[in-house]
Amino acid sequence: MSVEIVMPKLSDTMEEGTILKWLKHVGDVVTRGEVLAEVETDKADMELEASTEGVLREITVKEGESAAVGAVIALVEENGAAAETGGGATADGKVEHGTAAAFDRPNGPERPTAPAHARASASQSRRTPPPAGSASPESTAAPAAEGKATPAARKVAAERGVDLQTVQGSGPGGRIVTDDVEAAAKRPPARSERGGDAPAAGARDGRVPLVERQELSRMRQSIARRMSEAFRDIPHFYVTAEIDMTEAARLKDALLRGALFATPISYTHMILKATALALTRHPRLNASYRDDAIELKGEVNLGMAVAVEDGLIVPVLRRVDEMSLAEVATAARRLVEQARRGRFGREDLSGGTFTVSNMGMLDIEDFAAVINPPQAAILAVGSIKERAVVRDGVVVPRRTMRVTVSCDHRIIDGVVAGGFLEELKRLLENPIILVVHE
């Protein structure tokens, strides 16, 4: 009997996915933990892994095609069915067949199928045509070059207009990685037959250059749609506080000198830990509005906004209030490294209950962020600067930081938001609490 593999929901906002590459083919035997396919979502390129064993019998969504979450993308055979056909049997008569168990669904009369609505990937349509004289997209060279590139590298190449056939891979076995594509994008463009770059020539002779139209990436489309919906549907209000970070700076420097932790503690790690503790005292901000009711979350799972090429991704740190400061640092560093590689697990992009957006490294005084639904609030963090502060009637220099919390006014009032910021201020101005709290 065949078992369906469906398009999984790999993030909270995912509505459809695109098959970038099938790593297994029809008739292949797959084992538990093997990667079946690389899937492009609205957040990142992710891997679909097999959690059981079996034989892949049919692929219904081909590379470059998209399917809605829950649609059938492939079929595998159960042991009995495979044994009857005589295919894929092992030496002991058992048949190995692969599915991702969390993505499977038993056969039934109301199952959706992919071919009816599978369509070409947006990333395919965004690819820049090759220069004149180069091989056509239908040639065998182009698929070969793309096959040697990682999913993240292919995505960057499409967005930057880099022909992968011209890129020399530096990864294992000549694999093309994102650094290779970035390096190729920085090289001077090829000269035209008339000895100059056409757009530049137009600018020199006084003509107004044509407007360049750039199609939005899948990630940018998702951001545009969700932020428009959030700002339209959620009544935002904002509360700002200034926090004295002088003691936090001293503690951070002392921890760095003492080399107590494997991962150096940063201001971001302190802010994440303090935010989680403040949310336990003010749970209304760790909630969602749904169907005229408040859903108070049982866990403090912090989304950490990370800037990536052409967008923003929000990986999630789970149960931060239960972590030590050292554990927060290690987990946050792992997620940032994964964001740079463009590779996440399913659990890394879902389940967030509150988001922290930190732009302090950009010398930003303060800003207000848009709430990431279905969450009820988001904290925007500015840079730490030396400012004149009055202490006991005397003006003294102190290192302060301005933070702004954006709140959903349907379930949060100003006094609640103010109480949350007061608690956050207390924790960060007495940062030893963050170290000793377990």
Side-chain angles (χ1 to χ4, degrees):
M1 186 178 78
S2 294
V3 176
E4 299 170 347
I5 299 177
V6 301
M7 179 63 72
K9 188 175 180 67
L10 297 171
S11 72
D12 290 336
T13 61
M14 181 178 172
E15 297 178 354
E16 66 175 18
T18 299
I19 301 296
L20 293 174
K21 185 177 180 64
W22 280 104
L23 302 180
K24 290 292 182 179
H25 304 90
V26 173
D28 283 356
V29 175
V30 296
T31 56
R32 190 183 307 273
E34 280 190 299
V35 178
L36 298 179
E38 295 170 349
V39 179
E40 181 189 43
T41 74
D42 59 338
K43 296 291 188 182
D45 297 341
M46 307 180 77
E47 295 178 339
L48 192 160
E49 295 183 356
S51 60
T52 60
E53 301 180 344
V55 176
L56 185 61
R57 285 306 180 199
E58 183 181 352
I59 292 174
T60 58
V61 178
K62 298 178 174 56
E63 293 181 1
E65 292 182 341
S66 299
V69 170
V72 179
I73 61 176
L75 297 174
V76 298
E77 285 189 356
E78 292 183 327
N79 288 347
E84 290 174 6
T85 62
T90 61
D92 59 4
K94 294 182 180 179
V95 177
E96 297 177 284
H97 57 275
T99 76
F103 312 146
D104 292 346
R105 187 180 52 225
N107 287 329
E110 298 182 357
R111 59 183 182 270
T113 56
H117 60 270
R119 59 186 180 275
S121 166
S123 62
Q124 293 279 8
S125 64
R126 295 195 301 269
R127 287 178 184 157
T128 303
S134 66
S136 68
E138 291 75 23
S139 70
T140 57
E146 294 217 349
K148 292 180 63 178
T150 64
R154 291 198 297 269
K155 187 174 183 180
V156 173
E159 294 169 352
R160 302 291 292 274
V162 174
D163 184 0
L164 288 172
Q165 297 179 67
T166 66
V167 179
Q168 181 68 37
S170 63
R175 186 87 159 153
I176 298 173
V177 297
T178 53
D179 288 344
D180 301 326
V181 178
E182 293 288 358
K186 294 176 182 178
R187 289 198 293 265
R191 309 286 290 183
S192 68
E193 292 182 0
R194 296 192 299 182
D197 180 68
R204 285 196 300 270
D205 64 16
R207 295 198 305 269
V208 177
L210 295 176
V211 175
E212 179 185 0
R213 177 179 171 82
Q214 295 183 349
E215 297 297 328
L216 294 180
S217 65
R218 182 181 292 271
M219 178 185 293
R220 199 76 244 172
Q221 290 174 9
S222 175
I223 292 172
R225 181 180 69 254
R226 287 179 56 77
M227 292 300 98
S228 296
E229 292 173 353
F231 213 68
R232 181 189 67 229
D233 297 338
I234 300 176
H236 286 58
F237 78 93
Y238 313 95
V239 181
T240 300
E242 187 167 6
I243 300 174
D244 190 338
M245 295 292 286
T246 303
E247 292 303 320
R250 289 173 180 164
L251 177 61
K252 183 179 77 70
D253 292 342
L255 294 175
L256 183 62
R257 289 193 303 270
L260 298 178
F261 303 135
T263 301
I265 302 299
S266 70
Y267 293 119
T268 297
H269 304 147
M270 291 182 176
I271 293 166
L272 289 169
K273 177 64 175 177
T275 298
L277 294 179
L279 288 172
T280 62
R281 299 285 298 273
H282 299 274
R284 186 66 68 92
L285 280 81
N286 194 55
S288 295
Y289 172 88
R290 194 185 303 275
D291 300 328
D292 295 327
I294 302 172
E295 291 186 350
L296 298 172
K297 307 302 182 181
E299 298 179 353
V300 178
N301 300 331
L302 296 186
M304 183 175 60
V306 178
V308 295
E309 183 73 24
D310 193 39
L312 192 70
I313 197 164
V314 187
V316 176
L317 290 170
R318 298 184 177 279
R319 301 189 176 188
V320 182
D321 56 315
E322 300 176 8
M323 292 182 179
S324 67
L325 185 59
E327 290 170 338
V328 172
T330 300
R333 181 178 181 179
R334 177 184 66 84
L335 289 181
V336 170
E337 290 175 349
Q338 286 180 292
R340 290 170 179 166
R341 296 196 304 267
R343 184 70 65 192
F344 287 99
R346 183 182 187 183
E347 69 283 355
D348 292 329
L349 297 177
S350 61
T353 61
F354 185 96
T355 296
V356 176
S357 180
N358 185 359
M359 289 209 297
M361 68 292 297
L362 299 179
D363 193 26
I364 300 299
E365 292 276 350
D366 57 69
F367 69 103
V370 178
I371 296 170
N372 184 24
Q375 298 168 20
I378 182 172
L379 183 70
V381 181
S383 61
I384 298 174
K385 292 190 173 184
E386 193 165 298
R387 297 180 173 95
V389 176
V390 177
R391 289 286 185 269
D392 299 324
V394 179
V395 177
V396 295
R398 305 290 286 184
R399 303 188 69 179
T400 69
M401 172 183 74
R402 290 170 182 161
V403 296
T404 299
V405 61
S406 306
C407 299
D408 185 342
H409 215 332
R410 293 174 297 182
I411 61 175
I412 301 172
D413 295 324
V415 67
V416 177
F420 164 77
L421 288 184
E422 279 192 343
E423 179 65 11
L424 182 67
K425 179 182 175 74
R426 182 185 75 85
L427 292 167
L428 288 173
E429 291 185 352
N430 300 276
I432 192 62
I433 299 173
L434 307 178
V435 178
V436 299
H437 185 279
E438 295 291 343

